[in-house]
Amino acid sequence: IYGISDRLLSDEEILELHNIYLKTTKDYDNAAADDKKQLPKPLPEYSQIATWLCLSTLCRIGELLMAEWKHVNFTTNEWFIPKENVKTTRGKKQDLIVFLSPFAAEQLKKLYNLTGTSKWLFPNDKKTSYLYIKTITRQINDRQVMFKNRQEDAKSKRNCNNSLVLAKGENGDWTPHDLRRTGATLMQKLKVDPMIIDRCQNHITHASKVRRHYQLYDYADEKKEAWFKLGEYLDKNVLKMIV
């Protein structure tokens, strides 16, 4: 069983997750009003999209939830992440341009149809700010309660069940951050240079200060190729979501 720091989703689990999204959404939408109470409420569509974006761009869930539509360019298929939105534990931050594969761009277009009238990709209910950073992670955790040290509260408005448990729970629970790790590992599988993977994840390189000062090439072409390889792999070999 994987630990907290190394949980990966297999191709089979990624496909299973995709099928769960389809089935729970279809069953709930087609159910009569009284029957809906007996069914697990599907993960909201915007949250489903968020999981595919974490997987296909290697972004952190916080960076995604804080994103603004002004930083997404559908003409060039680029998403700019300002360093202010980047998480770091060492005090060093840097901007990142994510080159959107057709797979990732398609997910963002679906999201735009849902939230495009807002400033943020993931607005809160009042559209006064972005969605609380832990919201989607909690939604996913609430659908894997077999791994949690709590019982479903009948009076709670939170939807608690096990509808997002994968592989019958044999590999443990999963989080949005595990999708970032899974995407990076898939890049490894696709023979992407580890240094390029680090840059796609916006990790600060450990090169010397002199090298960082003088060697300023940004590896844009290599990063774009890496993101496109990952998107194509997900599209053609795992999910087959884009028609």
Side-chain angles (χ1 to χ4, degrees), residues 32 46 136 234 238:
Y46 66 82
I136 292 178
L234 292 171
V238 183

Side-chain angles (χ1 to χ4, degrees), residues 115-132:
T115 68
T117 58
S118 169
K119 174 181 178 180
W120 293 276
L121 275 65
F122 295 87
N124 61 17
D125 289 341
K126 297 181 180 179
K127 296 186 178 181
T128 56
S129 183
Y130 51 79
L131 196 65
Y132 178 54

Side-chain angles (χ1 to χ4, degrees), residues 59-182:
C59 70
R60 299 176 177 89
I61 187 65
E63 295 166 351
L64 183 60
L65 295 187
M66 289 188 285
E68 299 180 32
W69 282 115
K70 69 179 182 180
H71 290 143
V72 177
N73 188 325
F74 285 118
T75 301
T76 60
N77 280 337
E78 295 177 2
W79 167 31
F80 173 71
I81 303 177
K83 61 183 179 182
E84 291 77 15
N85 291 357
V86 173
K87 177 183 177 182
T88 180
T89 57
R90 298 184 180 182
K92 297 179 180 179
K93 295 185 177 184
Q94 58 190 6
D95 300 332
L96 177 67
I97 293 178
V98 177
F99 297 98
L100 301 168
S101 65
F103 178 91
E106 183 68 17
Q107 299 307 309
L108 276 174
K109 289 175 182 176
K110 291 180 182 178
L111 184 63
Y112 188 81
N113 289 333
L114 296 175
T115 68
T117 58
S118 169
K119 174 181 178 180
W120 293 276
L121 275 65
F122 295 87
N124 61 17
D125 289 341
K126 297 181 180 179
K127 296 186 178 181
T128 56
S129 183
Y130 51 79
L131 196 65
Y132 178 54
I133 294 299
K134 295 184 179 180
T135 296
I136 292 178
T137 299
R138 284 180 175 176
Q139 291 173 349
I140 292 172
N141 286 341
D142 285 348
R143 289 164 173 80
Q144 302 178 85
V145 292
M146 64 180 289
F147 301 109
K148 312 304 173 184
N149 294 320
R150 57 183 169 84
Q151 299 295 324
E152 179 180 351
D153 181 358
K155 297 181 181 180
S156 174
K157 294 182 179 180
R158 291 168 67 173
N159 192 77
C160 299
N161 53 60
N162 286 304
S163 60
L164 291 185
V165 171
L166 301 175
K168 299 181 179 179
E170 294 178 1
N171 298 321
D173 61 341
W174 61 276
T175 68
H177 193 77
D178 295 326
L179 297 174
R180 169 176 159 90
R181 181 184 301 108
T182 299

Side-chain angles (χ1 to χ4, degrees), residues 31-39:
D34 291 341
D35 295 335
K36 289 184 188 299
K37 299 176 182 179
Q38 309 301 320
L39 293 174

